[in-house]
PDB file of all heavy atoms in Angstrom:
ATOM      1  N   GLU A 275     -12.452  51.869 -15.067  1.00 97.00           N
ATOM      2  CA  GLU A 275     -13.545  50.927 -14.812  1.00 97.00           C
ATOM      3  C   GLU A 275     -13.031  49.482 -14.815  1.00 97.00           C
ATOM      4  O   GLU A 275     -13.441  48.664 -13.986  1.00 97.00           O
ATOM      5  CB  GLU A 275     -14.643  51.096 -15.858  1.00 97.00           C
ATOM      6  CG  GLU A 275     -15.433  52.393 -15.745  1.00 97.00           C
ATOM      7  CD  GLU A 275     -14.718  53.612 -16.302  1.00 97.00           C
ATOM      8  OE1 GLU A 275     -13.656  53.449 -16.928  1.00 97.00           O
ATOM      9  OE2 GLU A 275     -15.221  54.732 -16.115  1.00 97.00           O
ATOM     10  N   PHE A 282     -18.476  53.686 -15.200  1.00 97.00           N
ATOM     11  CA  PHE A 282     -18.468  55.151 -15.126  1.00 97.00           C
ATOM     12  C   PHE A 282     -17.905  55.671 -13.801  1.00 97.00           C
ATOM     13  O   PHE A 282     -18.562  56.404 -13.057  1.00 97.00           O
ATOM     14  CB  PHE A 282     -19.877  55.708 -15.373  1.00 97.00           C
ATOM     15  CG  PHE A 282     -20.274  55.677 -16.827  1.00 97.00           C
ATOM     16  CD1 PHE A 282     -20.971  54.599 -17.340  1.00 97.00           C
ATOM     17  CD2 PHE A 282     -19.916  56.703 -17.680  1.00 97.00           C
ATOM     18  CE1 PHE A 282     -21.317  54.535 -18.683  1.00 97.00           C
ATOM     19  CE2 PHE A 282     -20.260  56.667 -19.034  1.00 97.00           C
ATOM     20  CZ  PHE A 282     -20.957  55.573 -19.534  1.00 97.00           C
ATOM     21  N   VAL A 283     -16.655  55.292 -13.520  1.00 96.00           N
ATOM     22  CA  VAL A 283     -15.959  55.822 -12.344  1.00 96.00           C
ATOM     23  C   VAL A 283     -14.719  56.608 -12.743  1.00 96.00           C
ATOM     24  O   VAL A 283     -14.039  57.174 -11.885  1.00 96.00           O
ATOM     25  CB  VAL A 283     -15.572  54.694 -11.363  1.00 96.00           C
ATOM     26  CG1 VAL A 283     -16.798  54.066 -10.749  1.00 96.00           C
ATOM     27  CG2 VAL A 283     -14.700  53.635 -12.041  1.00 96.00           C
ATOM     28  N   GLY A 284     -14.410  56.649 -14.049  1.00 95.00           N
ATOM     29  CA  GLY A 284     -13.261  57.397 -14.524  1.00 95.00           C
ATOM     30  C   GLY A 284     -13.640  58.833 -14.847  1.00 95.00           C
ATOM     31  O   GLY A 284     -14.663  59.357 -14.389  1.00 95.00           O
ATOM     32  N   PRO A 285     -12.831  59.519 -15.660  1.00 96.00           N
ATOM     33  CA  PRO A 285     -13.115  60.923 -16.022  1.00 96.00           C
ATOM     34  C   PRO A 285     -14.492  61.113 -16.647  1.00 96.00           C
ATOM     35  O   PRO A 285     -15.200  62.079 -16.326  1.00 96.00           O
ATOM     36  CB  PRO A 285     -11.991  61.258 -17.009  1.00 96.00           C
ATOM     37  CG  PRO A 285     -10.871  60.346 -16.624  1.00 96.00           C
ATOM     38  CD  PRO A 285     -11.521  59.075 -16.185  1.00 96.00           C
ATOM     39  N   ALA A 286     -14.904  60.230 -17.557  1.00 97.00           N
ATOM     40  CA  ALA A 286     -16.237  60.345 -18.167  1.00 97.00           C
ATOM     41  C   ALA A 286     -17.323  60.168 -17.112  1.00 97.00           C
ATOM     42  O   ALA A 286     -18.377  60.820 -17.165  1.00 97.00           O
ATOM     43  CB  ALA A 286     -16.405  59.325 -19.287  1.00 97.00           C
ATOM     44  N   GLY A 287     -17.082  59.288 -16.158  1.00 97.00           N
ATOM     45  CA  GLY A 287     -18.043  59.094 -15.079  1.00 97.00           C
ATOM     46  C   GLY A 287     -18.203  60.324 -14.214  1.00 97.00           C
ATOM     47  O   GLY A 287     -19.315  60.623 -13.736  1.00 97.00           O
ATOM     48  N   GLN A 288     -17.135  61.062 -14.018  1.00 97.00           N
ATOM     49  CA  GLN A 288     -17.214  62.292 -13.237  1.00 97.00           C
ATOM     50  C   GLN A 288     -18.050  63.346 -13.965  1.00 97.00           C
ATOM     51  O   GLN A 288     -18.840  64.066 -13.345  1.00 97.00           O
ATOM     52  CB  GLN A 288     -15.810  62.817 -12.948  1.00 97.00           C
ATOM     53  CG  GLN A 288     -14.984  61.874 -12.074  1.00 97.00           C
ATOM     54  CD  GLN A 288     -13.532  62.311 -11.945  1.00 97.00           C
ATOM     55  OE1 GLN A 288     -13.179  63.439 -12.277  1.00 97.00           O
ATOM     56  NE2 GLN A 288     -12.681  61.401 -11.498  1.00 97.00           N
ATOM     57  N   VAL A 289     -17.882  63.411 -15.281  1.00 97.00           N
ATOM     58  CA  VAL A 289     -18.714  64.328 -16.074  1.00 97.00           C
ATOM     59  C   VAL A 289     -20.180  63.908 -15.981  1.00 97.00           C
ATOM     60  O   VAL A 289     -21.074  64.741 -15.805  1.00 97.00           O
ATOM     61  CB  VAL A 289     -18.251  64.334 -17.551  1.00 97.00           C
ATOM     62  CG1 VAL A 289     -19.220  65.140 -18.412  1.00 97.00           C
ATOM     63  CG2 VAL A 289     -16.850  64.902 -17.661  1.00 97.00           C
ATOM     64  N   LEU A 290     -20.429  62.616 -16.088  1.00 98.00           N
ATOM     65  CA  LEU A 290     -21.803  62.115 -16.001  1.00 98.00           C
ATOM     66  C   LEU A 290     -22.416  62.431 -14.649  1.00 98.00           C
ATOM     67  O   LEU A 290     -23.574  62.879 -14.571  1.00 98.00           O
ATOM     68  CB  LEU A 290     -21.822  60.611 -16.249  1.00 98.00           C
ATOM     69  CG  LEU A 290     -23.172  59.907 -16.071  1.00 98.00           C
ATOM     70  CD1 LEU A 290     -24.198  60.448 -17.066  1.00 98.00           C
ATOM     71  CD2 LEU A 290     -23.025  58.397 -16.220  1.00 98.00           C
ATOM     72  N   ASP A 291     -21.689  62.217 -13.578  1.00 97.00           N
ATOM     73  CA  ASP A 291     -22.219  62.481 -12.232  1.00 97.00           C
ATOM     74  C   ASP A 291     -22.605  63.950 -12.083  1.00 97.00           C
ATOM     75  O   ASP A 291     -23.662  64.272 -11.521  1.00 97.00           O
ATOM     76  CB  ASP A 291     -21.184  62.104 -11.170  1.00 97.00           C
ATOM     77  CG  ASP A 291     -21.035  60.595 -11.012  1.00 97.00           C
ATOM     78  OD1 ASP A 291     -21.903  59.862 -11.516  1.00 97.00           O
ATOM     79  OD2 ASP A 291     -20.055  60.161 -10.385  1.00 97.00           O
ATOM     80  N   ARG A 292     -21.757  64.842 -12.580  1.00 98.00           N
ATOM     81  CA  ARG A 292     -22.044  66.276 -12.460  1.00 98.00           C
ATOM     82  C   ARG A 292     -23.261  66.656 -13.295  1.00 98.00           C
ATOM     83  O   ARG A 292     -24.131  67.416 -12.840  1.00 98.00           O
ATOM     84  CB  ARG A 292     -20.817  67.079 -12.918  1.00 98.00           C
ATOM     85  CG  ARG A 292     -20.986  68.595 -12.809  1.00 98.00           C
ATOM     86  CD  ARG A 292     -19.630  69.290 -12.795  1.00 98.00           C
ATOM     87  NE  ARG A 292     -18.855  69.015 -13.989  1.00 98.00           N
ATOM     88  CZ  ARG A 292     -18.818  69.816 -15.059  1.00 98.00           C
ATOM     89  NH1 ARG A 292     -19.531  70.939 -15.083  1.00 98.00           N
ATOM     90  NH2 ARG A 292     -18.081  69.510 -16.100  1.00 98.00           N
ATOM     91  N   ARG A 301     -27.899  59.665  -9.118  1.00 95.00           N
ATOM     92  CA  ARG A 301     -27.295  58.478  -9.732  1.00 95.00           C
ATOM     93  C   ARG A 301     -27.706  57.177  -9.035  1.00 95.00           C
ATOM     94  O   ARG A 301     -27.918  56.172  -9.717  1.00 95.00           O
ATOM     95  CB  ARG A 301     -25.775  58.601  -9.773  1.00 95.00           C
ATOM     96  CG  ARG A 301     -25.114  57.325 -10.295  1.00 95.00           C
ATOM     97  CD  ARG A 301     -23.755  57.527 -10.877  1.00 95.00           C
ATOM     98  NE  ARG A 301     -23.125  56.239 -11.199  1.00 95.00           N
ATOM     99  CZ  ARG A 301     -21.991  56.092 -11.861  1.00 95.00           C
ATOM    100  NH1 ARG A 301     -21.342  57.158 -12.287  1.00 95.00           N
ATOM    101  NH2 ARG A 301     -21.499  54.902 -12.101  1.00 95.00           N
ATOM    102  N   HIS A 390     -21.911  60.570 -25.649  1.00 97.00           N
ATOM    103  CA  HIS A 390     -21.220  59.925 -24.535  1.00 97.00           C
ATOM    104  C   HIS A 390     -20.433  60.998 -23.773  1.00 97.00           C
ATOM    105  O   HIS A 390     -19.867  61.905 -24.387  1.00 97.00           O
ATOM    106  CB  HIS A 390     -20.271  58.847 -25.068  1.00 97.00           C
ATOM    107  CG  HIS A 390     -19.761  57.915 -24.018  1.00 97.00           C
ATOM    108  ND1 HIS A 390     -18.738  58.261 -23.157  1.00 97.00           N
ATOM    109  CD2 HIS A 390     -20.126  56.647 -23.679  1.00 97.00           C
ATOM    110  CE1 HIS A 390     -18.503  57.248 -22.336  1.00 97.00           C
ATOM    111  NE2 HIS A 390     -19.330  56.260 -22.635  1.00 97.00           N
ATOM    112  N   PRO A 391     -20.388  60.926 -22.450  1.00 97.00           N
ATOM    113  CA  PRO A 391     -19.645  61.951 -21.695  1.00 97.00           C
ATOM    114  C   PRO A 391     -18.190  62.092 -22.113  1.00 97.00           C
ATOM    115  O   PRO A 391     -17.615  63.187 -22.002  1.00 97.00           O
ATOM    116  CB  PRO A 391     -19.757  61.459 -20.245  1.00 97.00           C
ATOM    117  CG  PRO A 391     -20.982  60.628 -20.204  1.00 97.00           C
ATOM    118  CD  PRO A 391     -21.086  59.984 -21.554  1.00 97.00           C
ATOM    119  N   SER A 392     -17.564  61.018 -22.596  1.00 96.00           N
ATOM    120  CA  SER A 392     -16.161  61.114 -23.014  1.00 96.00           C
ATOM    121  C   SER A 392     -15.998  62.039 -24.213  1.00 96.00           C
ATOM    122  O   SER A 392     -14.923  62.621 -24.421  1.00 96.00           O
ATOM    123  CB  SER A 392     -15.606  59.733 -23.342  1.00 96.00           C
ATOM    124  OG  SER A 392     -16.309  59.146 -24.425  1.00 96.00           O
ATOM    125  N   TYR A 393     -17.065  62.185 -25.020  1.00 96.00           N
ATOM    126  CA  TYR A 393     -17.026  63.116 -26.151  1.00 96.00           C
ATOM    127  C   TYR A 393     -16.748  64.532 -25.669  1.00 96.00           C
ATOM    128  O   TYR A 393     -15.986  65.292 -26.300  1.00 96.00           O
ATOM    129  CB  TYR A 393     -18.349  63.051 -26.910  1.00 96.00           C
ATOM    130  CG  TYR A 393     -18.634  64.223 -27.815  1.00 96.00           C
ATOM    131  CD1 TYR A 393     -17.982  64.354 -29.041  1.00 96.00           C
ATOM    132  CD2 TYR A 393     -19.549  65.216 -27.449  1.00 96.00           C
ATOM    133  CE1 TYR A 393     -18.243  65.431 -29.878  1.00 96.00           C
ATOM    134  CE2 TYR A 393     -19.821  66.293 -28.274  1.00 96.00           C
ATOM    135  CZ  TYR A 393     -19.158  66.395 -29.492  1.00 96.00           C
ATOM    136  OH  TYR A 393     -19.417  67.466 -30.308  1.00 96.00           O
ATOM    137  N   LEU A 395     -15.058  65.395 -23.107  1.00 95.00           N
ATOM    138  CA  LEU A 395     -13.664  65.521 -22.666  1.00 95.00           C
ATOM    139  C   LEU A 395     -12.706  65.670 -23.843  1.00 95.00           C
ATOM    140  O   LEU A 395     -11.615  66.235 -23.682  1.00 95.00           O
ATOM    141  CB  LEU A 395     -13.278  64.292 -21.848  1.00 95.00           C
ATOM    142  CG  LEU A 395     -14.018  64.096 -20.524  1.00 95.00           C
ATOM    143  CD1 LEU A 395     -13.682  62.741 -19.926  1.00 95.00           C
ATOM    144  CD2 LEU A 395     -13.670  65.211 -19.549  1.00 95.00           C
ATOM    145  N   PHE A 410     -25.813  68.354 -23.250  1.00 98.00           N
ATOM    146  CA  PHE A 410     -25.878  67.046 -22.601  1.00 98.00           C
ATOM    147  C   PHE A 410     -26.768  67.112 -21.361  1.00 98.00           C
ATOM    148  O   PHE A 410     -27.633  66.244 -21.148  1.00 98.00           O
ATOM    149  CB  PHE A 410     -24.464  66.597 -22.225  1.00 98.00           C
ATOM    150  CG  PHE A 410     -24.389  65.247 -21.564  1.00 98.00           C
ATOM    151  CD1 PHE A 410     -24.917  64.119 -22.178  1.00 98.00           C
ATOM    152  CD2 PHE A 410     -23.780  65.102 -20.331  1.00 98.00           C
ATOM    153  CE1 PHE A 410     -24.842  62.863 -21.576  1.00 98.00           C
ATOM    154  CE2 PHE A 410     -23.699  63.852 -19.710  1.00 98.00           C
ATOM    155  CZ  PHE A 410     -24.230  62.734 -20.337  1.00 98.00           C
TER     156      PHE A 410
END
Side-chain angles (χ1 to χ4, degrees):
E275 290 78 8
F282 284 93
V283 293
Q288 296 172 14
V289 173
L290 175 62
D291 287 346
R292 181 160 59 96
R301 175 157 173 172
H390 194 281
S392 62
Y393 162 76
L395 295 172
F410 181 56

